[in-house]
Amino acid sequence: MTMNLITGKAGAPHITSSDQGAMQAGLVGNGNYLLQGGDGKFPAVTMQSANKALIPVLNLVIEGRYARVTAAETVTIESGVTGRNRNDLICVKYTRDSNNIETIALAVLKGTATSGTAADPTVPSGSILNNSGTVWIPIARIPISGITAGTPVMLVKQLPPMSQLWDSVTQTCQLQWQSTGSFVPAPYGASNTIKVRDGLIFVDLSSFRSSVNVGNFTVWMFKSGVKPSKAVSLGCIANVSGIAYGKQATWNTDGSVALIGGVGPNDVVQCFSKIIPVPDGVTFA
């Protein structure tokens, strides 16, 4: 049988590292990637001494396999020679034995010393996804000039978290109150943003109490971000406390949002988040 339900119950162990690796490679890519650390930063290799490179705690996806350095460790770099230049590569060395047992370790590929510009050593061919027995994955280059080891250069690609991917494709309009005296924001209010992504508009306006009597009025002013090319009706975005009708709103071409129908002193306007499709012909810039 060539088709398997990998994440289905089979009555016996049947999910292999190849299954999981193939799925992860399909999701993030077939290459080698450095993941963001718990502090929101991408860790980097540093030189601890002239002959010791320090590999920090880090998380990697290497051809679909997830690997971790759980505690900082050092690797030894062979001393350079005065008047000669060399590039060494710090690598993750992956091996698969005859029983399909897989292991990884940090290792160094030593370059060739030269009086000219140093070149990286040749990385042996091999691919985890193609079931190679040994695979070398370079993660950092150590440039050595004479007897001095320079600053390591990270070679593995950084893979940002999905939250940043969302941010990179989301267009946001940040709003601000026309007056927090006239429109008193509710404690722990919403973000006062309108976001556009994948053909949808995400409306998140904060509730407030009015201290004035106004008709159709621009309650939220444009602060930053994008504006619609045409006025967009947001439909019903709020209810007035104690009154059984909704409040409509319009997102204007200057980026502001007007509340339609007006409010009176001491009206409590309870806004709620909503999602609407982007109207035909409307663009954002």
Side-chain angles (χ1 to χ4, degrees), residues 64-65 79 83 119 125 198-199 206 232 234 238 279 284:
R65 299 296 199 272
S79 297
S125 62
D198 294 337
S206 182
V232 176
L234 301 179
F284 306 91

Side-chain angles (χ1 to χ4, degrees), residues 21 29-33 60-67 92-94 104 128-129 137 139 156:
N30 291 344
N32 305 302
Y33 307 97
L60 298 164
V61 178
I62 50 175
E63 294 189 42
R65 299 296 199 272
Y66 174 51
V92 173
K93 185 180 180 182
Y94 164 96
I104 57 170
I128 298 174
L129 293 171
I137 299 101
I139 62 171
V156 65

Side-chain angles (χ1 to χ4, degrees), residues 268-284:
V268 175
V269 181
Q270 299 173 314
C271 296
F272 43 83
S273 299
K274 67 178 302 185
I275 303 172
I276 62 173
V278 174
D280 291 342
V282 176
T283 58
F284 306 91

Side-chain angles (χ1 to χ4, degrees), residues 11-277:
H14 68 289
I15 300 175
T16 68
S17 61
S18 294
D19 293 329
Q20 188 68 25
M23 184 188 76
Q24 291 175 168
L27 291 173
V28 306
N30 291 344
N32 305 302
Y33 307 97
L34 176 65
L35 303 183
Q36 181 176 284
D39 59 358
K41 299 177 181 179
F42 290 97
V45 175
T46 57
M47 293 304 298
Q48 189 179 60
S49 67
N51 296 96
K52 296 290 185 181
L54 179 67
I55 290 79
V57 172
L58 52 77
N59 299 285
L60 298 164
V61 178
I62 50 175
E63 294 189 42
R65 299 296 199 272
Y66 174 51
R68 301 184 70 196
V69 176
T70 57
E73 62 177 287
T74 60
V75 295
T76 300
I77 305 298
E78 191 173 313
S79 297
V81 177
T82 301
R84 310 283 281 181
N85 303 312
R86 193 179 85 229
N87 285 348
D88 287 358
L89 298 180
I90 296 177
C91 301
V92 173
K93 185 180 180 182
Y94 164 96
T95 58
R96 181 205 305 266
D97 68 14
S98 58
N99 294 316
N100 287 324
I101 302 301
E102 300 164 281
T103 58
I104 57 170
L106 292 166
V108 177
L109 278 177
K110 180 184 173 184
T112 300
T114 177
S115 58
T117 301
D120 291 346
T122 299
V123 179
S125 62
S127 167
I128 298 174
L129 293 171
N130 290 335
N131 299 318
S132 297
T134 304
V135 182
W136 292 78
I137 299 101
I139 62 171
R141 174 190 299 118
I142 310 297
I144 303 167
S145 178
I147 60 173
T148 303
T151 302
V153 178
M154 295 299 290
L155 300 177
V156 65
K157 296 178 182 178
Q158 295 180 351
L159 183 65
M162 292 182 68
S163 60
Q164 290 186 19
L165 177 62
W166 168 275
D167 291 342
S168 70
V169 298
T170 299
Q171 296 174 290
T172 301
C173 174
Q174 182 65 58
L175 301 161
Q176 60 187 0
W177 295 103
Q178 188 274 342
S179 167
T180 55
S182 299
F183 311 105
V184 182
Y188 314 110
S191 62
N192 279 344
T193 60
I194 299 176
K195 297 185 178 184
V196 182
R197 185 177 186 273
D198 294 337
L200 297 173
I201 297 174
F202 300 79
V203 184
D204 189 35
L205 300 175
S206 182
S207 302
F208 64 92
R209 176 179 57 81
S210 175
S211 64
V212 295
N213 190 0
V214 294
N216 296 353
F217 195 81
T218 301
V219 174
W220 295 273
M221 305 295 292
F222 176 79
K223 182 177 182 180
S224 62
V226 299
K227 305 173 184 177
S229 61
K230 301 177 184 178
V232 176
S233 173
L234 301 179
C236 182
I237 56 93
N239 288 313
V240 177
S241 180
I243 301 176
Y245 61 84
K247 288 295 178 183
Q248 309 290 308
T250 301
W251 186 16
N252 301 309
T253 55
D254 64 0
S256 66
V257 173
L259 194 66
I260 309 302
V263 290
N266 295 317
D267 277 349
V268 175
V269 181
Q270 299 173 314
C271 296
F272 43 83
S273 299
K274 67 178 302 185
I275 303 172
I276 62 173

